[in-house]
Amino acid sequence: MKDMTNGLVLSAMTIGDYPEVSALWNTIRGFAIRSVDDSYDGVARFLLRNPSTSVVARIDGEAVGAVLCGHDGRRGCFYHVCVREDHRRKGIGKAMVLYCVNALKKENISSISLVAFTGNGAGNAFWKSIGWRMRSDINTYDLILNENNVVRFNE
Ligand SMILES: CC(C)(COP(=O)(O)OP(=O)(O)OC[C@H]1O[C@@H](n2cnc3c(N)ncnc32)[C@H](O)[C@@H]1OP(=O)(O)O)[C@@H](O)C(=O)NCCC(=O)NCCS
């Protein structure tokens, strides 16, 4: 696997990164952006509960990738794993995942789960190539608690 991550700086995401990270999310085709969860307040709440496990990737000071990562004391979870389109296939996604995995290990978390849309070819290829196991023996269930948390899909 290629490693072209020279000049890449990974740091724990803080709420100060929100404007840049949110702008990046808006450029990622296929992303589901939630009006409450992905708002400034929603992300601030997530980062307050999970202060050290999310990451921003920067090159020359510019945010080129990000992962929202947290845990509930038992299982880790990843959301909005993304790399700016013009910086893909350089190992940045893999480097960010490693950062988050190590941050979760420090908190004694034993496993991580994430959701990938079945139609997301690149996303699914990525997880498989970095050694994650696709589960075909489980269904996922949702219960909507806040109807105001409206989902918008980026085109
Ligand atoms: C998925 C994503 C984060 C990967 O980031 P990335 O920095 O390009 O990934 P890496 O360079 O670390 O890739 C590692 C390996 O994953 C595999 N991979 C990554 N993108 C791939 C693609 N489009 N097609 C096939 N394999 C791919 C390759 O094996 C790659 O190694 P290689 O380039 O040496 O062949 C990026 O494509 C992205 O932001 N996609 C849109 C958002 C998204 O779908 N996120 C995942 C949601 S579940």
Side-chain angles (χ1 to χ4, degrees), residues 9 47 82 93 101 109 144 146-147:
V9 177
L47 294 177
C82 66
V101 165
I109 295 300
I144 304 300
N146 180 359
E147 296 292 346

Side-chain angles (χ1 to χ4, degrees), residues 33-74:
I33 305 295
R34 291 177 164 76
S35 59
V36 174
D37 297 344
D38 295 323
S39 67
Y40 180 93
D41 288 350
V43 174
R45 198 157 59 101
F46 185 89
L47 294 177
L48 198 62
R49 286 175 58 96
N50 299 284
S52 63
T53 44
S54 298
V55 67
V56 181
R58 286 202 156 73
I59 291 177
D60 294 334
E62 257 185 73
V64 295
V67 179
L68 266 184
C69 165
H71 69 83
D72 57 15
R74 178 182 171 110

Side-chain angles (χ1 to χ4, degrees), residues 1-3 5 28-31 64 66 79-85 87-97 114-117 120-130:
M1 201 172 287
K2 293 187 286 287
D3 182 2
T5 53
I28 306 294
R29 270 178 280 165
F31 256 10
V64 295
Y79 303 98
H80 290 352
V81 177
C82 66
V83 172
R84 210 172 79 185
E85 226 165 283
H87 284 279
R88 291 186 187 163
R89 302 303 290 265
K90 296 175 175 175
I92 297 173
K94 191 182 170 203
M96 292 192 304
V97 167
L114 65 85
V115 169
F117 290 116
N120 182 354
N124 284 289
F126 171 69
W127 296 113
K128 284 178 193 165
S129 93
I130 63 168

